[in-house]
């Protein structure tokens, strides 16, 4: 399996790893087939993702996609974060092998789950946005 340099870079030195103690949105998703789990933390301030972190128990591609996904949503509005697609994550990593595309889906779902949790905590039904 050939990984791009970008994937290797984010796997070897992932950005935004760890918990975010003052997060106001936390989402956890998993893939039943491979058993990998991704937990995403966001801190929303004035409708903007002020900070994002992740903890991923999974494969190298899952770590790389989590890393780049947190980078891609930081500084963006909540709506923009919700619009993040796994395709955009794959493009930002200069591609992923076909067998690893589901890892990028996990990253998209983790961001959505964290934002949904943020909405829930605000008393807003996340179904209205997702
Ligand atoms: Fe399942 Fe990567 S192998 S998330």
């Amino acid at each position: 399996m050939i990984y791009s340099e970008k994937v290797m870079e984010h796997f070897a030195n992932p950005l935004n790893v760890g918990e975010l103690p003052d997060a106001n949105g936390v989402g956890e998703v998993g893939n039943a087939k491979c058993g990998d789990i991704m937990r995403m933390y966001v801190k929303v301030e004035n409708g903007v993702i002020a900070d994002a972190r992740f903890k991923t128990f999974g494969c190298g591609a899952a770590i790389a996609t989590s890393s780049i996904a947190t980078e891609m949503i930081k500084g963006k509005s909540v709506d923009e974060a919700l619009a993040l697609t796994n395709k955009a994550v794959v493009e930002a990593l200069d591609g992923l092998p076909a067998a690893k595309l589901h890892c990028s889906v996990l990253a998209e779902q983790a961001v959505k789950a964290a934002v949904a949790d943020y909405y829930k905590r605000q008393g807003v039904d996340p179904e209205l946005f997702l």
Side-chain angles (χ1 to χ4, degrees):
M1 205 175 290
I2 308 283
Y3 287 113
S4 71
E5 266 178 41
K6 264 267 169 68
V7 173
M8 292 312 290
E9 197 181 298
H10 279 271
F11 167 58
N13 295 299
L15 305 169
N16 312 311
V17 180
E19 292 181 22
L20 196 53
D22 54 352
N24 51 10
V26 183
E28 188 174 293
V29 293
N31 182 293
K33 269 196 188 151
C34 65
D36 290 359
I37 295 171
M38 202 179 276
R39 187 179 299 157
M40 189 76 68
Y41 302 82
V42 293
K43 182 182 172 190
V44 181
E45 275 174 358
N46 301 321
V48 171
I49 310 285
D51 209 353
R53 303 260 173 88
F54 76 90
K55 274 172 95 177
T56 290
F57 305 92
C59 72
I63 290 168
T65 57
S66 314
S67 170
I68 201 129
T70 49
E71 279 296 282
M72 290 169 86
I73 60 169
K74 278 208 292 186
K76 298 279 167 59
S77 71
V78 173
D79 289 349
E80 284 171 320
L82 275 182
L84 181 77
T85 61
N86 82 297
K87 196 166 169 270
V89 169
V90 172
E91 275 167 18
L93 286 171
D94 295 333
L96 271 179
K100 290 288 173 180
L101 285 177
H102 78 273
C103 318
S104 66
V105 173
L106 220 48
E108 176 189 324
Q109 289 174 339
V111 169
K112 287 194 163 69
V115 173
D117 182 52
Y118 164 74
Y119 276 130
K120 251 185 257 160
R121 294 188 198 196
Q122 307 302 309
V124 180
D125 181 2
E127 295 294 325
L128 297 173
F129 301 91
L130 300 178

